[in-house]
Amino acid sequence: MKDIIISIIVPVYKVPESILSQCINSIITQSFKSFELILVDDESPDNAGKVCDEFARQDKRIKVIHQKNQGVSVARNNGIKIAIGEWITFIDADDWIEPNFLSSFLEMSNEINADILISACFVNYANKEVKNPFFNTPVIIAKNDEKDRIILEYLCSKLYSDDKAFTDVGSPWAKFYKRDFLIKNNLLFDPKLIRMQDNVFNLYAIEKANTIYYKELYLYHYRKSLISGFNRYNPNITTYYNLVFKYIHDFIQEYKKSNLFIEALRVKKIKSIYVFCKMDFFHPNNTKSFYSKIQEIRNIAVSPLYKEAIKNVNFRYLTKIELIWTILLKLKCYIGIYLIFKLKDFIFKISGKNIN
């Protein structure tokens, strides 16, 4: 294939046929045509692999990789290995893009010489669509220490008052990466990370980039539903997060980051306890007694990793509801934690947004 400017990598696993088709159709009908689409079937147990093959038969720009089930990190890495475009972008198989997604990013690349380009996105719920700016300023051109703001947005968005979004900037979608930049810096997704592997990938990608260019263009549709991974029962979720926090801590030490990063990581740890409640402790599939579930919260709160964060977190960087949550943790009022969780969960289910 000649003159491939953009490589689009889409990991595919357990995606309903209609949703996967919507994603692929939004790509192959782009106004800009010089791209390759790499669909990576992660041994999906449904019809998704066959859907990918059928699209590939109809469009020569599509390549399909069928791999043994190894997770989204390996799927993205395998896509990077065969990509030939000047730019690489990632799209989740249950999302879709605007018709001018590719052309708009290429226009951005002509405006600023950057290793990473970032756009805003739409967040799509079952009954509504909302605009999601990642930052409170419409344009950011970040070099050197200025790049820290982008990392800190997804650790603790309140640090720079960038806390207006429904989702954060840590995911690999709604971004363009120079392929040579990724290869030169050996930037790949870590298969050992089951959760937040994209956040860790972007820690290092943002750190190593010479320039990052963000523009508030709404080009990507991020589908958020009550059946997403965030709502599935996962009794191992604390183990997964503990490993991620170790990676982030090591990153802070390695690159001698400022105390703001420590402050942000403390907030991230405290917020993660809500995730543990949602995906494990108080999930409907957890059949343990109520007393046992309360004990699980206590065990997390008094463990060294989280105890330090609860003790030393800066209240200035917490939202109102997070402040109440933290005070209850400090007071070891775990019944109160349960009540706040139920309130937050109820509000999220009816509105799609967390209360702050």
Side-chain angles (χ1 to χ4, degrees), residues 29-83:
T29 56
Q30 286 289 295
S31 58
F32 181 81
K33 307 296 182 184
S34 298
F35 65 85
E36 62 174 353
L37 170 56
I38 303 171
L39 301 171
V40 187
D41 168 30
D42 190 28
E43 202 173 25
S44 188
D46 52 19
N47 236 9
K50 293 179 180 178
V51 172
C52 294
D53 289 336
E54 182 57 34
F55 271 100
R57 280 191 285 270
Q58 298 173 18
D59 193 320
K60 293 181 180 179
R61 296 173 298 179
I62 300 176
K63 301 175 182 176
V64 181
I65 298 174
H66 296 285
Q67 67 175 38
K68 290 186 177 181
N69 180 243
Q70 298 171 82
V72 66
S73 291
V74 174
R76 287 176 179 145
N77 290 344
N78 284 336
I80 292 171
K81 288 173 185 176
I82 70 166

Side-chain angles (χ1 to χ4, degrees), residues 65-208:
I65 298 174
H66 296 285
Q67 67 175 38
K68 290 186 177 181
N69 180 243
Q70 298 171 82
V72 66
S73 291
V74 174
R76 287 176 179 145
N77 290 344
N78 284 336
I80 292 171
K81 288 173 185 176
I82 70 166
I84 61 174
E86 296 175 23
W87 293 92
I88 288 177
T89 188
F90 301 95
I91 298 174
D92 286 353
D94 54 351
D95 297 338
W96 72 98
I97 53 177
E98 288 288 297
N100 62 331
F101 176 85
L102 299 180
S103 60
S104 296
F105 266 107
L106 287 177
E107 288 173 9
M108 288 175 63
S109 73
N110 291 325
E111 293 167 1
I112 300 291
N113 181 20
D115 290 321
I116 303 174
L117 309 171
I118 306 174
S119 79
C121 71
F122 295 102
V123 175
N124 289 86
Y125 299 92
N127 299 315
K128 67 176 180 178
E129 174 180 276
V130 295
K131 285 186 173 180
N132 187 95
F134 291 118
F135 305 96
N136 63 17
T137 51
V139 174
I140 297 174
I141 302 170
K143 300 173 181 284
N144 303 318
D145 291 346
E146 297 165 345
K147 298 179 297 180
D148 287 352
R149 175 180 176 182
I150 298 172
I151 298 174
L152 288 167
E153 189 275 345
Y154 61 86
L155 290 180
C156 175
S157 59
K158 200 169 175 61
L159 283 171
Y160 289 95
S161 299
D162 288 322
D163 52 339
K164 298 179 180 179
F166 290 74
T167 189
D168 63 51
V169 78
S171 299
W173 45 257
K175 295 177 181 65
F176 265 39
Y177 303 85
K178 279 185 179 175
R179 184 174 67 90
D180 288 347
F181 159 71
L182 294 182
I183 293 171
K184 177 183 175 182
N185 291 283
N186 194 30
L187 288 166
L188 294 169
F189 294 84
D190 193 328
K192 294 192 294 295
L193 297 175
I194 308 301
R195 299 286 301 190
M196 293 198 293
Q197 61 282 106
D198 42 9
N199 281 199
V200 172
F201 172 83
N202 277 317
L203 276 180
Y204 289 92
I206 292 166
E207 180 64 28
K208 292 177 183 294

Side-chain angles (χ1 to χ4, degrees), residues 202-300:
N202 277 317
L203 276 180
Y204 289 92
I206 292 166
E207 180 64 28
K208 292 177 183 294
N210 288 322
T211 304
I212 299 169
Y213 180 26
Y214 165 77
K215 195 170 186 179
E216 191 179 317
L217 301 174
Y218 295 91
L219 305 171
Y220 190 97
H221 291 265
Y222 169 55
R223 191 188 306 270
K224 208 164 188 178
S225 72
L226 295 177
I227 58 170
S228 67
F230 184 52
N231 293 281
R232 295 180 190 140
Y233 179 49
N234 191 333
N236 298 312
I237 191 65
T238 54
T239 301
Y240 298 156
Y241 268 66
N242 290 350
L243 182 57
V244 169
F245 291 145
K246 181 183 183 304
Y247 273 59
I248 297 173
H249 182 269
D250 290 348
F251 170 84
I252 293 170
Q253 297 295 112
E254 180 181 357
Y255 292 98
K256 298 178 173 58
K257 291 299 181 182
S258 70
N259 191 57
L260 271 182
F261 279 78
I262 301 296
E263 300 274 17
L265 183 55
R266 287 173 181 149
V267 174
K268 189 81 169 176
K269 288 176 182 178
I270 288 171
K271 291 172 73 172
S272 73
I273 297 175
Y274 170 76
V275 178
F276 304 158
C277 290
K278 188 173 183 63
M279 298 187 69
D280 182 9
F281 305 155
F282 298 124
H283 193 280
N285 290 353
N286 187 332
T287 58
K288 295 177 183 176
S289 69
F290 181 74
Y291 174 78
S292 295
K293 294 174 182 179
I294 295 297
Q295 282 296 110
E296 287 182 315
I297 299 176
R298 179 193 173 280
N299 292 340
I300 286 293

